[in-house]
Amino acid sequence: MRFIIIALTLVSGVFAASTYEGEFPQGMRTAVFNETRLRSAPRNDASNVIRVIPAGTRVSIIEKSDATMAGGGVVAPWYRVSLSDAGKDASGYMWGGHLALAAVERGADMFVIGLTRYSKGDFDAECRMVRAGTIVKRLAFRPHYSVSGDPGAYYYSLSASLSGNRGVDGIENIIDVHCWFPAMDYPYGHIWIGVAKDALYPIARDTSFEESGSKRSLRRYVFPGDPSGERGIIAMIDVQYVFDGKVGDFTLKSSNRTSFRWHNNALVPAKK
């Protein structure tokens, strides 16, 4: 049995970065992924509603309950939380599937990352722009994952960070969603999301994979504003390694660079 591994990072805001395995630890702060109900008991029952809590509300974890629930195929525990909403302090229970796995803040806007569905061995997720408790924009994406353990339980680590535009014209900020599992034979990588003029844009998704004792396939993106970046170019770097038994280590097999440009809010191949 594998457990849920989730990392919460709220930067430019600032929640302390934390990565954990299995549960939201006591005292951890996170945010509400979508409007939900604070309840007096860890179950979905109309009789135990304390009040409705808007998306983006900050909450602190008091403890995890033994009760779990599934929604959209996603399985998560219930948590007892504390919060302050509209100047009123309260505590009660929330389902873990309504808590953001990661959140980043920019001025009055909060971007929350969470799971929306599990089906046929894959998760769907969204990045949501929340303003004054209202979800104003959504961007669907697929987080990195490999089927293992309990179906519907996302056992990967997941964090998010917010930067400037990293030299990409027409983009104000870039959100880096990082998904990984600390073991060989599990795909991992980054989802890059652009923010501009109250809109969210999918920039790129890179996936790396390390097969124990055999090969490594590493992919990354270099942005124009990065130290090794090139003006106007978003470069995808693919590096392949194979294990050489004679030297007892991995050796380089190939290294390829593909150039793209950001044009009309989409990544397009750069003309040579």
Side-chain angles (χ1 to χ4, degrees):
M1 176 181 178
R2 283 200 173 88
F3 299 94
I4 301 171
I5 302 175
I6 306 171
L8 170 75
T9 308
L10 177 50
V11 289
S12 186
V14 169
F15 290 171
S18 180
T19 301
Y20 65 96
E21 181 175 352
E23 59 190 50
F24 289 100
Q26 182 180 0
M28 186 173 181
R29 297 187 68 206
T30 183
V32 175
F33 181 52
N34 52 265
E35 181 179 275
T36 189
R37 290 163 175 77
L38 186 69
R39 300 177 182 275
S40 59
R43 63 179 184 272
N44 192 15
D45 189 325
S47 67
N48 65 14
V49 175
I50 298 174
R51 68 176 190 246
V52 175
I53 305 299
T57 302
R58 299 166 180 83
V59 303
S60 295
I61 303 297
I62 299 174
E63 63 182 359
K64 186 190 78 167
S65 78
D66 294 330
T68 62
M69 189 176 80
V74 177
V75 178
W78 288 82
Y79 292 87
R80 189 158 70 95
V81 303
S82 62
L83 58 91
S84 180
D85 176 42
K88 298 179 180 179
D89 294 336
S91 65
Y93 289 89
M94 284 185 182
W95 178 53
H98 288 163
L99 299 176
L101 304 188
V104 292
E105 214 169 9
R106 185 190 68 166
D109 295 333
M110 183 180 288
F111 304 93
V112 291
I113 312 295
L115 304 172
T116 57
R117 188 170 181 265
Y118 174 80
S119 177
K120 298 179 181 179
D122 256 320
F123 284 91
D124 293 326
E126 282 187 355
C127 174
R128 297 173 175 175
M129 180 189 293
V130 182
R131 183 175 298 154
T134 300
I135 299 170
V136 294
K137 292 292 179 182
R138 303 169 186 252
L139 179 69
F141 68 91
R142 180 152 288 178
H144 296 77
Y145 175 72
S146 181
V147 177
S148 184
D150 298 336
Y154 188 71
Y155 62 86
Y156 266 51
S157 296
L158 188 150
S159 66
S161 60
L162 180 75
S163 67
N165 71 353
R166 296 179 69 168
V168 180
D169 292 337
I171 291 293
E172 298 166 2
N173 298 95
I174 292 178
I175 300 171
D176 171 13
V177 180
H178 184 201
C179 312
W180 76 98
F181 185 74
M184 295 287 189
D185 304 325
Y186 292 84
Y188 61 92
H190 302 257
I191 296 95
W192 304 95
I193 299 169
V195 184
K197 297 181 179 179
D198 293 342
L200 299 173
Y201 299 103
I203 296 178
R205 183 182 192 271
D206 59 59
T207 301
S208 296
F209 184 82
E210 301 186 34
E211 188 174 322
S212 180
S214 177
K215 61 183 178 181
R216 291 176 180 169
S217 176
L218 307 180
R219 173 175 289 183
R220 64 187 177 92
Y221 280 88
V222 178
F223 291 89
D226 294 349
S228 59
E230 179 183 350
R231 182 175 176 81
I233 296 295
I234 298 175
M236 182 179 70
I237 311 298
D238 277 307
V239 183
Q240 305 290 328
Y241 296 90
V242 294
F243 188 79
D244 188 337
K246 293 181 179 179
V247 298
D249 202 353
F250 286 92
T251 58
L252 180 65
K253 179 182 179 182
S254 65
S255 179
N256 296 292
R257 182 182 188 273
T258 306
S259 297
F260 299 90
R261 293 186 184 276
W262 187 250
H263 180 69
N264 289 337
N265 298 318
L267 204 63
V268 298
K271 296 181 180 179
K272 295 183 179 180

